[in-house]
Short mmCIF file of all heavy atoms in Angstrom, two decimals:
data_model
loop_
_atom_site.label_atom_id
_atom_site.label_comp_id
_atom_site.label_asym_id
_atom_site.label_seq_id
_atom_site.Cartn_x
_atom_site.Cartn_y
_atom_site.Cartn_z
N LEU X 282 28.62 23.92 -47.60
CA LEU X 282 28.64 24.37 -49.00
C LEU X 282 27.53 23.64 -49.74
O LEU X 282 27.74 22.56 -50.29
CB LEU X 282 30.00 24.07 -49.64
CG LEU X 282 31.21 24.82 -49.09
CD1 LEU X 282 32.48 24.40 -49.82
CD2 LEU X 282 31.02 26.33 -49.19
N ILE X 283 26.35 24.22 -49.70
CA ILE X 283 25.19 23.59 -50.36
C ILE X 283 24.82 24.46 -51.56
O ILE X 283 24.30 25.57 -51.40
CB ILE X 283 23.99 23.47 -49.38
CG1 ILE X 283 24.39 22.82 -48.05
CG2 ILE X 283 22.85 22.72 -50.05
CD1 ILE X 283 24.74 21.34 -48.10
N ALA X 284 25.11 23.95 -52.76
CA ALA X 284 24.82 24.71 -53.97
C ALA X 284 23.31 24.87 -54.12
O ALA X 284 22.53 24.01 -53.69
CB ALA X 284 25.40 23.98 -55.19
N GLY X 285 22.90 25.99 -54.73
CA GLY X 285 21.46 26.23 -54.88
C GLY X 285 21.11 26.64 -56.29
O GLY X 285 20.08 27.28 -56.52
N ASN X 286 21.97 26.27 -57.24
CA ASN X 286 21.73 26.67 -58.63
C ASN X 286 21.22 25.49 -59.45
O ASN X 286 21.19 24.36 -58.98
CB ASN X 286 23.03 27.23 -59.23
CG ASN X 286 24.18 26.25 -59.18
OD1 ASN X 286 24.42 25.63 -58.16
ND2 ASN X 286 24.87 26.09 -60.28
N ASP X 287 20.80 25.81 -60.70
CA ASP X 287 20.31 24.78 -61.62
C ASP X 287 21.51 24.17 -62.35
O ASP X 287 22.09 24.80 -63.24
CB ASP X 287 19.34 25.44 -62.62
CG ASP X 287 18.68 24.42 -63.54
OD1 ASP X 287 19.15 23.25 -63.58
OD2 ASP X 287 17.70 24.79 -64.22
N PHE X 288 21.87 22.97 -61.99
CA PHE X 288 23.06 22.33 -62.57
C PHE X 288 22.91 22.16 -64.08
O PHE X 288 23.89 22.11 -64.81
CB PHE X 288 23.30 20.95 -61.93
CG PHE X 288 23.88 21.00 -60.54
CD1 PHE X 288 24.09 22.21 -59.89
CD2 PHE X 288 24.22 19.83 -59.88
CE1 PHE X 288 24.62 22.25 -58.60
CE2 PHE X 288 24.75 19.85 -58.60
CZ PHE X 288 24.96 21.06 -57.96
N ARG X 289 21.66 22.02 -64.55
CA ARG X 289 21.45 21.74 -65.97
C ARG X 289 21.80 22.95 -66.83
O ARG X 289 21.97 22.83 -68.03
CB ARG X 289 20.00 21.30 -66.20
CG ARG X 289 19.66 20.04 -65.39
CD ARG X 289 18.19 19.81 -65.27
NE ARG X 289 17.50 21.04 -64.88
CZ ARG X 289 16.18 21.15 -64.82
NH1 ARG X 289 15.42 20.11 -65.11
NH2 ARG X 289 15.63 22.28 -64.46
N LYS X 290 21.86 24.13 -66.19
CA LYS X 290 22.18 25.35 -66.95
C LYS X 290 23.47 25.98 -66.43
O LYS X 290 23.72 27.16 -66.66
CB LYS X 290 21.04 26.36 -66.77
CG LYS X 290 19.73 25.89 -67.33
CD LYS X 290 18.68 26.97 -67.15
CE LYS X 290 17.34 26.50 -67.64
NZ LYS X 290 16.23 27.23 -66.99
N MET X 291 24.28 25.20 -65.74
CA MET X 291 25.45 25.77 -65.06
C MET X 291 26.53 26.16 -66.08
O MET X 291 26.91 25.34 -66.92
CB MET X 291 25.98 24.72 -64.06
CG MET X 291 27.21 25.11 -63.32
SD MET X 291 27.36 24.18 -61.76
CE MET X 291 27.17 22.46 -62.25
N SER X 292 27.03 27.40 -65.97
CA SER X 292 28.10 27.84 -66.88
C SER X 292 29.43 27.25 -66.40
O SER X 292 29.56 26.83 -65.25
CB SER X 292 28.19 29.36 -66.88
OG SER X 292 28.66 29.80 -65.62
N LYS X 293 30.41 27.30 -67.31
CA LYS X 293 31.77 26.83 -66.95
C LYS X 293 32.33 27.65 -65.79
O LYS X 293 33.00 27.13 -64.91
CB LYS X 293 32.70 27.05 -68.16
CG LYS X 293 32.63 25.97 -69.20
CD LYS X 293 33.97 25.97 -69.98
CE LYS X 293 33.93 25.03 -71.15
NZ LYS X 293 33.42 25.65 -72.39
#
Side-chain angles (χ1 to χ4, degrees):
L282 294 179
I283 309 290
N286 58 314
D287 185 347
F288 285 3
R289 301 163 312 174
K290 297 182 182 156
M291 177 157 52
S292 68
K293 278 204 187 89

